[in-house]
Amino acid sequence: MLDHDECERARVRRDRRYDGRFFSGVRTTRIYCRPVCPVRPAQGKNVAFYPTAAAAEAAGFRPCLRCRPETAPFSPAWRGSRTTVRRALRLIRDGALDRANVEDLAARLGIGARHLDRLFQRDVGASPLQVARTARVQRAKRLLDQTALPMSEVAASAGFASLRRFNAVFAEVYRRTPSEIRRLRFKPV
């Protein structure tokens, strides 16, 4: 809940601590701004406060061209390329690279494959393919531990294109075959 008096003080003082926490809509101009907007503050009687930019737009205000509310702290633009990486990670977790390649994933994100790889190396420390491979192996390990599904179904459910690839990757990561891992769940380690 926004405290009107507190928001008004922050708006008039252009208090940076409140940037991104609320937006002020000026009724006479139908423009909404961040609390740090450099323009001369409007009269308090003409101002309404909103918790989000979307709320201000829903009330009929348009964004200010000076303070650019879309760049307020915690907005996707403020987070920059990390937003792209987070979205890519979410898509990979949902199996985007199980059915397509990195170029297709990059196209869905609106960037090039090389740029996506650079972002991943910088922010994650691994390539998108490495992240997808790790996610597949972890899904497979959970299925081996929690179900009695046949190996072919575990491989398919985890996102591997073939049983051969599943066995090879699993043995490379765990230094054991999937069957050995499954047998170990019934024995104390």
Side-chain angles (χ1 to χ4, degrees):
M1 198 70 182
L2 298 175
D3 177 7
H4 186 275
D5 294 334
E6 183 180 1
C7 290
E8 179 61 19
R9 282 191 300 276
R11 180 185 72 87
V12 171
R13 293 181 184 153
R14 294 186 180 99
D15 193 336
R16 291 197 173 280
R17 295 176 297 172
Y18 290 86
D19 195 14
R21 293 178 51 196
F22 72 88
F23 296 86
S24 55
V26 181
R27 291 183 192 97
T28 54
T29 61
R30 304 305 296 168
I31 294 174
Y32 73 93
C33 298
R34 295 164 52 187
V36 296
C37 189
V39 299
R40 186 173 56 114
Q43 293 181 10
K45 66 181 181 180
N46 296 328
V47 177
F49 297 104
Y50 300 94
T52 64
E57 287 180 20
F61 294 91
R62 66 179 176 81
C64 175
L65 297 177
R66 293 279 308 270
C67 67
R68 298 181 50 220
E70 72 276 5
T71 63
F74 313 111
S75 70
W78 183 75
R79 290 186 191 113
S81 60
R82 286 188 183 91
T83 301
T84 302
V85 172
R86 282 191 189 119
R87 183 168 173 229
L89 287 169
R90 197 169 42 254
L91 290 169
I92 290 169
R93 185 188 66 231
D94 294 342
L97 290 180
D98 296 345
R99 299 175 296 278
N101 57 30
V102 175
E103 288 76 20
D104 295 332
L105 175 63
R108 279 179 76 178
L109 297 167
I111 60 175
R114 288 178 55 202
H115 185 59
L116 179 63
D117 195 54
R118 278 193 301 271
L119 293 177
F120 264 71
Q121 291 297 335
R122 186 190 71 200
D123 293 344
V124 179
S127 73
L129 287 175
Q130 291 165 327
V131 170
R133 177 183 143 179
T134 299
R136 279 186 215 111
V137 169
Q138 290 174 349
R139 279 193 301 259
K141 175 73 166 70
R142 278 193 304 276
L143 289 170
L144 287 173
D145 288 343
Q146 298 170 359
T147 69
L149 290 172
M151 290 300 168
S152 58
E153 287 185 40
V154 169
S157 296
F160 288 94
S162 71
L163 186 58
R164 177 178 281 183
R165 187 72 187 136
F166 166 64
N167 286 324
V169 171
F170 209 87
E172 184 182 329
V173 171
Y174 281 102
R175 311 269 191 272
R176 294 187 170 124
T177 66
S179 299
E180 290 173 327
I181 293 289
R182 181 168 269 171
R183 280 193 295 269
L184 285 175
R185 80 176 171 171
F186 296 111
K187 295 179 183 177
V189 180

